[in-house]
Amino acid sequence: MYDVIIIGGGPGGYNAAIRAGQLGLSVAVIEGAQHLGGTCLNVGCMPAKSLLHASELYEMARTEFASFGIAVEPRLDLARMMAQKTEAVAKLVKGVEFLFRKNKVEWVRGWGRLDGESRVRVTGSTGEISVIEGRNIVLATGSRPSTLPGVCVDHRNIVTSTEALSFTQVPDRLIVIGAGVVGLEMGSIWCRLGSEVTVLEYADTILPGTDREIARTLERSLRKQGLNIRLGVRVASATPSDGAAVVTIEADSGVEAEKLMADKVLVAVGRRAFTDGLGLEVVGIVPDARGAIPHDGHYRTSAPGVWVIGDVTHGAMLAHKAEEEAIECIEIIAGKVSVSDDSDIPVVVYTRPELAAIGASEEELTAAGIDFRVGRFQFMANSRARINHETDGLVKMLVDTASDRILGIHMVGPQVGEMIAEARMALTFAATAEDVARTIHPHPTRSEALRQAAMDSAGWAMQA
Ligand code: FAD
């Protein structure tokens, strides 16, 4: 009998396993896919970041190197770009296998199904069945891409992010349905590599839910780069047609019905918790209306001894959220007082410029009737950004008027994803804007923009 059985070897599952191993618990991870690492390592964060980086270098070589005095004529070798991505991912997957060995985690290969209290039935790749037992079972089965009614994903011309990470040719025309994080990242990659990209979004903003000013700033940058972003359009259908695809946009107030042709259509309208074949009914767990497995706030499901973390439960579908929940869940199982905190999850969009945000948006604070001040600092006035020719964007800090406590930090700018952990730290320690304004930030770094935004919230930004 194991102390912990984890179903799913993604960032939720593998981090839970490593922490369990560190705490001296006996632990097995059941993973049915060929490789450990889940969505994030195999068909999500990591391959996407690999192609974002490579395509950014290509785009810079094409359009910006000359301005730095570097004369080159770049040629795209897509096969090599894809191969380096695959090689990098393979090394990361091996890294997880190494960490399993180091922490005495057993990988049980196969698909797990709950089989009664403390029991999991595992079906291997050739159909062989075994049953393993554990005092605790952690469900970390992740998510799968969602689609829309009328949109027929054939995985050839109408695809999910998984296929769009491995196109063997640059599509002449790519339509992306959904201007969320995945849609904008994938649209950026293929736009840089030469596709004519149209992004269709039902909401009247990209990245719905993001601070409006920040979303609009990123939208302007992406449009300048050539992404054709159409907001407020409802896709009625997408169907394959003669080796291509047709997308129909529904007539709506002010918008006429329209048919658009593309070589590829990427459906990027979000993801759904994945619980197929998991046997939830065997232990009496009922998923919520969106298919996610609910928990009590401390990762306990309604079934005794069964826990849930990551994309398969509610909350943001992000790898670092899954990781945080994994640590907390295992520490609770091990009887420790967990001090993890997943209340404010940072969000990063790895476009160019990047977008990074944490805490409340201006719209949320206004709606809640909170009295707040705003500090802003444009990267145009940040010396490092100017030197690097990367001046698009700003840092925006929202501060409680009475207490000076920071309520939200929203940024668009060069590699602001690397700055958001500082923002998270500030929120974790309930920092005031003055705390940040009086913290030395090395010069010249982009992070000075954060300090200047904090100063600006009190009216004394010094470099603008
Ligand atoms: P998953 O990673 O989905 O892992 C679940 C695992 O469980 C899978 O390996 C699956 O095979 C296995 N499994 C399922 N059912 C069973 C079963 N019954 N038996 C055995 N095994 C089973 N997040 C970020 O934070 N940053 C990013 O930059 C980012 N980029 C992304 C880009 C893309 C294109 C996509 C699609 C996602 C991205 N994400 C990103 C989201 C991130 O990948 C997920 O939030 C994260 O992988 C969730 O981890 P998880 O462990 O909950 O689930």
Side-chain angles (χ1 to χ4, degrees):
M1 164 99 63
Y2 291 98
D3 291 323
V4 189
I5 294 173
I6 297 162
I7 309 184
Y14 74 70
N15 280 298
I18 291 166
R19 190 73 188 116
Q22 285 178 337
L23 294 174
L25 302 174
S26 59
V27 53
V29 171
I30 304 171
E31 171 55 63
Q34 211 184 339
H35 301 294
L36 293 171
T39 302
C40 179
L41 263 61
N42 295 289
V43 290
C45 329
M46 301 321 302
K49 266 78 262 181
S50 169
L51 293 183
L52 279 159
H53 181 62
S55 62
E56 183 174 323
L57 293 176
Y58 174 65
E59 172 74 354
M60 286 179 73
R62 239 173 30 85
T63 62
E64 292 176 44
F65 276 15
S67 71
F68 289 97
I70 306 167
V72 289
E73 281 183 35
R75 187 184 63 80
L76 177 63
D77 180 349
L78 185 61
R80 182 70 213 122
M81 193 179 279
M82 290 294 172
Q84 65 80 34
K85 173 205 71 172
T86 307
E87 288 156 15
V89 165
K91 286 189 184 135
L92 294 174
V93 167
K94 287 274 169 234
V96 178
E97 290 175 15
F98 162 76
L99 292 171
F100 272 23
R101 285 193 297 277
K102 182 177 169 200
N103 291 287
K104 301 190 172 50
V105 177
E106 190 177 333
W107 174 9
V108 179
R109 293 168 193 254
W111 298 98
R113 179 182 172 81
L114 297 165
D115 193 40
E117 203 178 321
S118 310
R119 286 161 55 90
V120 184
R121 189 155 58 97
V122 184
T123 307
S125 58
T126 54
E128 74 282 8
I129 290 179
S130 57
V131 172
I132 59 174
E133 292 188 316
R135 275 176 275 278
N136 296 279
I137 298 168
V138 179
L139 307 177
T141 51
S143 60
R144 289 286 184 275
S146 302
T147 186
L148 293 173
V151 173
C152 153
V153 175
D154 66 353
H155 302 282
R156 292 167 66 87
N157 296 97
I158 303 181
V159 301
T160 69
S161 53
T162 300
E163 294 83 30
L165 287 166
S166 294
F167 288 155
T168 50
Q169 281 183 349
V170 178
D172 289 337
R173 286 162 306 173
L174 171 69
I175 291 178
V176 179
I177 305 177
V181 180
V182 170
L184 296 179
E185 290 187 359
M186 305 302 281
S188 292
I189 291 168
W190 292 106
C191 179
R192 293 168 190 165
L193 298 182
S195 295
E196 183 189 308
V197 177
T198 302
V199 182
L200 304 175
E201 169 58 53
Y202 176 64
D204 62 354
T205 175
I206 64 166
L207 301 168
T210 306
D211 184 280
R212 282 283 177 136
E213 178 184 6
I214 291 298
R216 264 198 300 271
T217 305
L218 178 62
E219 183 191 326
R220 272 196 300 274
S221 286
L222 295 176
R223 285 186 192 279
K224 267 195 281 176
Q225 290 162 38
L227 262 80
N228 175 20
I229 299 172
R230 296 182 55 179
L231 302 174
V233 289
R234 185 198 287 270
V235 170
S237 67
T239 41
S241 162
D242 284 339
V246 186
V247 174
T248 309
I249 295 174
E250 209 170 80
D252 210 344
S253 52
V255 184
E256 292 201 359
E258 202 181 331
K259 280 193 190 314
L260 303 174
M261 290 291 293
D263 305 282
K264 301 276 185 192
V265 173
L266 164 63
V267 184
V269 294
R271 297 176 65 86
R272 243 185 107 75
F274 181 69
T275 57
D276 292 3
L278 193 52
L280 294 180
E281 63 290 351
V282 178
V283 295
I285 295 175
V286 181
D288 67 19
R290 296 176 58 239
I293 301 176
H295 65 72
D296 67 350
H298 299 282
Y299 315 109
R300 284 184 195 85
T301 68
S302 58
V306 182
W307 308 72
V308 66
I309 56 172
D311 280 13
V312 73
T313 186
H314 42 73
M317 288 193 176
L318 290 168
H320 45 275
K321 178 255 192 190
E323 176 182 351
E324 195 60 18
E325 292 183 345
I327 295 169
E328 197 173 350
C329 175
I330 293 298
E331 292 189 350
I332 295 170
I333 289 174
K336 287 174 78 75
V337 179
S338 181
V339 291
S340 296
D341 173 11
D342 71 355
S343 54
D344 275 313
I345 312 281
V347 173
V348 179
V349 187
Y350 296 83
T351 45
R352 185 163 185 249
E354 290 182 351
L355 182 150
I358 185 149
S361 66
E362 184 166 347
E363 292 70 35
E364 284 167 344
L365 293 178
T366 305
I370 292 169
D371 191 11
F372 64 96
R373 300 190 313 268
V374 184
R376 290 186 183 81
F377 193 78
Q378 304 288 334
F379 277 102
M380 183 62 90
N382 172 268
S383 49
R384 184 68 185 275
R386 286 198 76 117
I387 290 286
N388 289 1
H389 310 191
E390 292 181 319
T391 50
D392 267 4
L394 76 156
V395 176
K396 175 175 178 181
M397 186 179 284
L398 304 171
V399 179
D400 182 65
T401 304
S403 65
D404 197 39
R405 244 184 97 165
I406 300 170
L407 302 173
I409 297 179
H410 307 271
M411 308 186 268
V412 175
Q415 292 180 19
V416 289
E418 298 294 339
M419 283 162 54
I420 199 68
E422 179 189 348
R424 175 61 163 92
M425 184 97 78
L427 265 70
T428 302
F429 289 107
T432 61
E434 181 162 14
D435 290 330
V436 175
R438 299 207 178 263
T439 299
I440 295 176
H441 285 67
H443 175 74
T445 61
R446 297 144 177 154
S447 70
E448 288 176 277
L450 189 61
R451 183 183 193 188
Q452 293 290 325
M455 290 173 167
D456 186 55
S457 73
W460 62 290
M462 295 176 66
Q463 290 165 11

